[in-house]
Amino acid sequence: MKREMVIQNTGKTKITAILLSMLMLALTACGGETAPAKTENVSETQVEQPAETETTETEAPDTETESEVSAVDTESQLPTTDPSGASILIPEKVDSAVALAPSICETMAALGVADKLVGYDLQSVGLAGLPEDVPTFDTVNPDIEQLTALAPDMLLVSNLSLYDQEAPYQPLIDAGVCVICVPTSDSVEDVRGDIRFLAAALGVPEEGERVVAEMDGKLAELSEAVSDIPEGERKSVYFEISPAPYLYSSGSGTYLHELIELAGGKNVLADQSGWISVEGETVAAANPDVIFTNVNYTDAPVEEILGREGWAGVSAVMNKEVYYIDNMASSLPDQNIVIAVEQMAQALYPECFGVE
């Protein structure tokens, strides 16, 4: 699987630092806002059950009533809450949307609905499949007036876009925009759920199933490739997402921890949970066989780790088993996590992939 890399300019190369800030916010919901859709797009006849029609057993069914039931059934398939738990009312038809998270933008592209985007976040500029020449926004502090002026049918945000403000998108909600929050996934299963949710919300549920099936197929293929590695011979891994002097990584209960395990590795921080700051001495004492880093906003992150003070005796450093893993694939919880798993699996067990 190939996609364009977007780590060329300074703004985009700092995406790890930005995402790290998001994780440290540790928001578990997106404000619990109720985001009504534009009222003119959803008529009362589409949300009310049709009146019962008296018929006899031999009477032919009323065609108009059947059509109304079909409309209700179709409408009922739309989600009524977003992944943050907030109540939402999705328009009958979504023609325009703004997305303020790269993971959401990548998923929309995979679903084939990126053409609906009339604006997106600065970190998504350059991602494959997105329209060009549309307004872009600061992810953490977007211009609310400009967003309101765009009048999209739907605004899709992550918990990062809420920052520490209370109900920052109330002006858009008041204007009839359906505001949806998709918090950072905690697990691969959450990633599947988010893909399916976005597909349903954007009217392409079958595409959501296709994207999930393709992702799961690739994950199964990679897991199968390393399945013959005995448990006792599986390599221990430290995955660094922020370098010295402020080391940051992940323990259990995160999708990154799951990706390490899917690749056949054992997370040396599995006894801790969530996204965590780490002491250098802790990593050195854990003595990982392999070190991964997705840091892309400093020069030569692999070389920095190999020369890091106090780590000369770490097995991964001594054996030069330190590897860079695609930043976007390992930082964004969407279908492209398969890229990160593949890179990790090939670095851990090259013999399983015919790599010398």
Side-chain angles (χ1 to χ4, degrees), residues 181-247:
C181 181
V182 182
T184 303
S185 301
D186 291 327
S187 66
V188 174
E189 184 57 35
D190 285 347
V191 172
R192 295 186 185 98
D194 290 346
I195 293 170
R196 290 186 171 114
F197 168 82
L198 289 169
L202 291 161
V204 288
E206 68 289 344
E207 286 301 297
E209 293 305 319
R210 176 188 60 79
V211 171
V212 169
E214 289 178 357
M215 180 184 78
D216 283 346
K218 185 62 176 179
L219 290 177
E221 177 187 323
L222 293 168
S223 292
E224 177 62 25
V226 300
S227 62
D228 290 337
I229 305 295
E231 184 64 29
E233 296 179 16
R234 296 196 170 230
K235 296 179 181 179
S236 58
V237 173
Y238 164 65
F239 198 118
E240 185 165 287
I241 60 178
S242 177
Y246 306 109
L247 303 183

Side-chain angles (χ1 to χ4, degrees), residues 79-91:
T80 56
T81 59
D82 69 18
S84 78
S87 297
I88 55 174
L89 184 57
I90 297 173

Side-chain angles (χ1 to χ4, degrees), residues 80-254:
T80 56
T81 59
D82 69 18
S84 78
S87 297
I88 55 174
L89 184 57
I90 297 173
E92 177 185 358
K93 185 179 181 183
V94 176
D95 293 317
S96 62
V98 173
L100 299 183
S103 58
I104 296 174
C105 288
E106 285 196 330
T107 298
M108 288 184 67
L111 294 171
V113 292
D115 59 334
K116 295 181 184 291
L117 287 170
V118 294
Y120 47 80
D121 61 285
L122 286 166
Q123 280 68 46
S124 294
V125 174
L127 287 175
L130 301 192
E132 300 179 357
D133 301 321
V134 299
T136 54
F137 299 86
D138 185 298
T139 306
V140 176
N141 188 29
D143 186 327
I144 300 299
E145 288 187 5
Q146 187 181 13
L147 281 172
T148 305
L150 278 177
D153 296 321
M154 182 180 290
L155 172 65
L156 296 151
V157 304
S158 70
N159 40 342
L160 175 59
S161 295
L162 288 160
Y163 196 45
D164 59 357
Q165 306 170 64
E166 185 174 347
Y169 301 109
Q170 195 60 48
L172 281 90
I173 294 172
D174 293 342
V177 177
C178 178
V179 178
I180 290 175
C181 181
V182 182
T184 303
S185 301
D186 291 327
S187 66
V188 174
E189 184 57 35
D190 285 347
V191 172
R192 295 186 185 98
D194 290 346
I195 293 170
R196 290 186 171 114
F197 168 82
L198 289 169
L202 291 161
V204 288
E206 68 289 344
E207 286 301 297
E209 293 305 319
R210 176 188 60 79
V211 171
V212 169
E214 289 178 357
M215 180 184 78
D216 283 346
K218 185 62 176 179
L219 290 177
E221 177 187 323
L222 293 168
S223 292
E224 177 62 25
V226 300
S227 62
D228 290 337
I229 305 295
E231 184 64 29
E233 296 179 16
R234 296 196 170 230
K235 296 179 181 179
S236 58
V237 173
Y238 164 65
F239 198 118
E240 185 165 287
I241 60 178
S242 177
Y246 306 109
L247 303 183
Y248 213 74
S249 187
S250 73
S252 58
T254 64

Side-chain angles (χ1 to χ4, degrees), residues 306-326:
L306 289 171
R308 187 171 294 171
E309 184 177 356
W311 284 21
V314 175
S315 293
V317 173
M318 287 194 300
N319 297 324
K320 294 187 175 3
E321 295 273 9
V322 181
Y323 305 95
Y324 175 79
I325 302 299
D326 184 287

